[in-house]
Amino acid sequence: VPSLALNHLRPNPGAKKKKKRVGRGRGGGRGGTSTRGHGGQGQRGSIKVGFEGGQTPLFRRLPKKGKLRNGHGSIYYETVNLEKIQSFVDQGRIDASVPVTMRVLHDVGICKTIKDGVKLLAKNGDALKTPLHFVVSRSSVGAAKAILRTGGSLTLAHYNRLGIRVLLKREKWERERRAIPRHARPPPKMAPNFPETDDNGLPIRRITKPEDVLLVRARAVIE
């Protein structure tokens, strides 16, 4: 048996292939046009994916329809379960005597990143025992039932992304002595969803029945 040494190591048969050498004369078999053919676009460089020779490509002939998940115009809601909020109340990290706004949820660490708003969900909604007053963007029917059952209140408010940033970091505007932007009005199609405004001009809808949350609809992406 031969001894094992580094100079005995060899690649497996067929594991390595010789490099394709072009443009080294006709004797090599790939001289002349270097396997690219005689003239034309294919010989001069690469062709962009989707290019169809100058005619309108397929992706431009088809109509634009709908919205991509990561496309412009998509709405992203941070979801929060009532069970988690109740646990924070029990720990004393949320004061039940003040309204639970998106700023409160952000400051206590329940919502790390809020892009377009917060939606309440009712996973283990029976765990909610404390009457709380919520001011958020959206809510499920189950969450609304649990909140109203405990004697709390639910108000759905309309914020755009600038309004969310001002709500979460209002002191930044005040520190830089910048004018606080006014609350944005909802788009025309969503204007009937928010029939009133609060004292600060924020468009809101007060929920008196759990089914009222279905009146506030928007095409959204839940994360």
Side-chain angles (χ1 to χ4, degrees):
V1 179
S3 60
L4 181 62
L6 292 177
N7 61 328
H8 295 160
L9 298 179
R10 296 288 186 275
N12 294 329
K16 295 186 66 176
K17 294 183 179 180
K18 292 184 178 180
K19 182 180 178 180
K20 179 180 177 182
R21 302 178 76 244
V22 298
R24 295 298 186 270
R26 296 184 178 182
R30 299 189 181 94
T33 59
S34 300
T35 72
R36 285 177 173 259
H38 292 276
Q41 186 181 34
Q43 191 183 36
R44 286 172 170 80
S46 60
I47 303 173
K48 185 178 179 180
V49 176
F51 183 71
E52 299 182 13
Q55 73 176 15
T56 305
L58 178 64
F59 73 91
R60 292 185 60 189
R61 295 198 299 268
L62 298 177
K64 297 179 181 179
K65 186 176 182 181
K67 298 177 182 178
L68 298 177
R69 177 178 173 83
N70 296 323
H72 295 288
S74 298
I75 301 176
Y76 296 84
Y77 289 137
E78 187 81 8
T79 57
V80 180
N81 284 296
L82 296 179
E83 181 185 20
K84 189 170 186 179
I85 295 177
Q86 181 62 52
S87 67
F88 273 61
V89 173
D90 296 337
Q91 298 170 19
R93 300 172 65 179
I94 293 181
D95 187 0
S97 62
V98 299
V100 181
T101 62
M102 292 183 285
R103 172 66 183 265
V104 173
L105 298 175
H106 179 268
D107 290 346
V108 300
I110 294 180
C111 298
K112 303 296 184 181
T113 303
I114 302 178
K115 293 183 179 179
D116 295 293
V118 173
K119 181 172 182 178
L120 299 177
L121 300 180
K123 182 179 180 181
N124 295 333
D126 295 337
L128 184 66
K129 305 297 182 183
T130 307
L132 299 172
H133 304 281
F134 289 92
V135 181
V136 293
S137 301
R138 297 292 186 273
S139 172
S140 66
V141 176
K145 288 181 180 179
I147 294 170
L148 299 178
R149 172 180 52 81
T150 58
S153 64
L154 176 61
T155 301
L156 302 184
H158 173 75
Y159 286 95
N160 61 356
R161 292 199 171 185
L162 176 60
I164 292 290
R165 294 201 302 271
V166 175
L167 176 67
L168 301 181
K169 299 182 179 179
R170 187 183 183 91
E171 61 277 0
K172 178 181 178 181
W173 267 259
E174 296 175 349
R175 183 175 60 253
E176 297 176 357
R177 298 182 179 180
R178 297 162 58 184
I180 302 297
R182 293 185 297 177
H183 293 292
R185 293 180 297 178
K189 291 184 178 180
M190 295 179 59
N193 299 340
F194 303 94
E196 53 183 318
T197 58
D198 65 0
D199 297 336
N200 297 321
L202 177 66
I204 60 173
R205 172 179 282 275
R206 305 181 195 276
I207 303 301
T208 57
K209 297 182 297 183
E211 295 76 15
D212 290 347
V213 298
L214 299 177
L215 300 176
V216 183
R217 293 179 177 272
R219 188 174 298 177
V221 176
I222 307 298
E223 289 189 326

